[in-house]
Amino acid sequence: MTQYPEGRISIRLVAGSSRPRHAELSSTRPLSAARVFEGKTVAQTLRVLPVLYRVCATAQGAAAAAAVESARRLTVSTADQFARDMLVMIETWREHMLRVLTSWPEASGSKQDPTAIADVFRLARETPATIYPASDAFTPGGGRLALDTDALPNRLDALLRLSATSVFGIPPAEWLALDNLTAAERWASSSRGTAADFVRYVLDQGWADAGRARVRAMPPLEPQELAARMTAGDVDDFVARPRWHGEVLETGAYARAAAHPLVAAARRAHGDALLARTFARLVEVATLPGRLG
């Protein structure tokens, strides 16, 4: 099995007569990663920390910079904060797109599009340079923000076009207007895109309610309360099996997109399950390019 420095979460399904009886989860998430930075300077920490994460390096860098700025009482301009948020959104778009374009065809038996996958990597790599050409976005207090007003709009248009052609088969804004399951099923039947193929497969297999579970979305956290939790004596157990006030909470795209009409419709019909979570990921794929613009 491939070993990843950031660890992994493995899920083992125990089969029943017609569907999984229960799931077993195990984590190899490193419990002492923060101790790597003991004795390091702030500059060393901010440089090394993103390297430890393959998937969310930008988000980790942004969080680390914000923590340093809070501790040092440094003020960051509104422009820098918006620009950093853009970098995190670009990374989020990349990760959603890669899951949709690689994992979904693999699961449904449809064909991957290598050109689209390569374009995702290229756009996610090139676009940040049109915002922070010196790659110093997470310098405490703010980096050398220099928007390329010619190249950046072109990159954002390319993100939107790629989402439309490779994922939805229709303009993302048109997909976002779908507000009920009948409309979504009609789109899945008539469109030819990776998302439509996967949704059609889920519906054909009768898996819309697969993985159904009732989990509440994580509320906003107070920084002081989170800091106290992360310095408690049982922090390793919290990192391995995080709970907030004894409760397992929902995070990620499903928590953020739960209010969208199509996600809500799938949740009412099938619970907090595969179809609703699929739509939630697609909501973010469809909205992120527009938010960036």
Side-chain angles (χ1 to χ4, degrees):
M1 179 181 294
T2 303
Q3 297 297 315
Y4 300 111
E6 69 270 34
R8 63 186 298 161
I9 295 176
S10 299
I11 303 173
R12 177 175 176 265
L13 297 178
V14 179
S17 57
S18 61
R19 60 175 52 206
R21 190 164 59 244
H22 68 275
E24 298 174 356
L25 277 71
S26 61
S27 171
T28 60
R29 183 181 300 166
L31 304 182
S32 56
R35 292 172 194 144
V36 171
F37 304 107
E38 291 179 357
K40 300 290 193 300
T41 66
V42 167
Q44 290 171 327
T45 299
L46 291 177
R47 185 172 62 253
V48 172
L49 187 143
V51 179
L52 296 179
Y53 296 90
R54 297 187 318 139
V55 173
C56 54
T58 300
Q60 295 290 343
V68 169
E69 288 157 353
S70 176
R72 290 181 168 180
R73 293 181 171 83
L74 295 175
T75 300
V76 180
S77 72
T78 301
D80 267 302
Q81 189 56 63
F82 273 124
R84 287 178 178 179
D85 289 345
M86 289 179 70
L87 297 184
V88 174
M89 284 190 279
I90 292 166
E91 180 180 70
T92 303
W93 175 85
R94 181 197 71 192
E95 291 306 309
H96 282 322
M97 289 289 286
L98 290 178
R99 298 287 75 73
V100 170
L101 295 175
T102 60
S103 300
W104 287 10
E106 183 179 310
S108 63
S110 57
K111 188 177 180 181
Q112 292 184 357
D113 184 345
T115 301
I117 294 169
D119 285 343
V120 170
F121 279 113
R122 177 180 58 80
L123 287 169
R125 182 180 65 252
E126 293 176 352
T127 307
T130 67
I131 303 171
Y132 285 98
S135 301
D136 60 350
F138 304 128
T139 300
R144 286 166 286 182
L145 173 62
L147 292 178
D148 186 331
T149 54
D150 292 324
L152 180 57
N154 292 333
R155 297 289 191 281
L156 299 183
D157 285 345
L159 263 66
L160 194 62
R161 288 196 304 272
L162 185 59
S163 299
T165 58
S166 66
V167 174
F168 297 103
I170 59 175
E174 188 176 325
W175 187 88
L176 285 169
L178 303 177
D179 59 1
N180 61 79
L181 293 185
T182 300
E185 290 171 5
R186 189 180 304 119
W187 157 77
S189 298
S190 60
S191 295
R192 286 297 172 264
T194 303
D197 290 345
F198 184 70
V199 170
R200 191 166 59 250
Y201 177 75
V202 168
L203 294 173
D204 289 346
Q205 296 296 317
W207 289 349
D209 63 348
R212 186 169 187 158
R214 301 186 67 178
V215 184
R216 188 169 66 92
M218 186 172 71
L221 304 181
E222 290 295 330
Q224 295 85 352
E225 188 178 9
L226 181 59
R229 187 67 192 84
M230 294 302 294
T231 54
D234 61 345
V235 65
D236 282 354
D237 182 64
F238 176 71
V239 171
R241 292 170 292 276
R243 285 173 168 76
W244 195 250
H245 299 302
E247 186 179 4
V248 176
L249 298 175
E250 181 79 44
T251 62
Y254 188 51
R256 294 189 294 264
H260 186 275
L262 187 55
V263 179
R267 184 179 186 180
R268 286 192 298 271
H270 302 286
D272 300 295
L274 180 58
L275 186 63
R277 293 174 185 280
T278 296
F279 287 152
R281 187 185 290 273
L282 292 174
V283 166
E284 293 220 321
V285 172
T287 57
L288 282 168
R291 289 174 59 196
L292 284 164

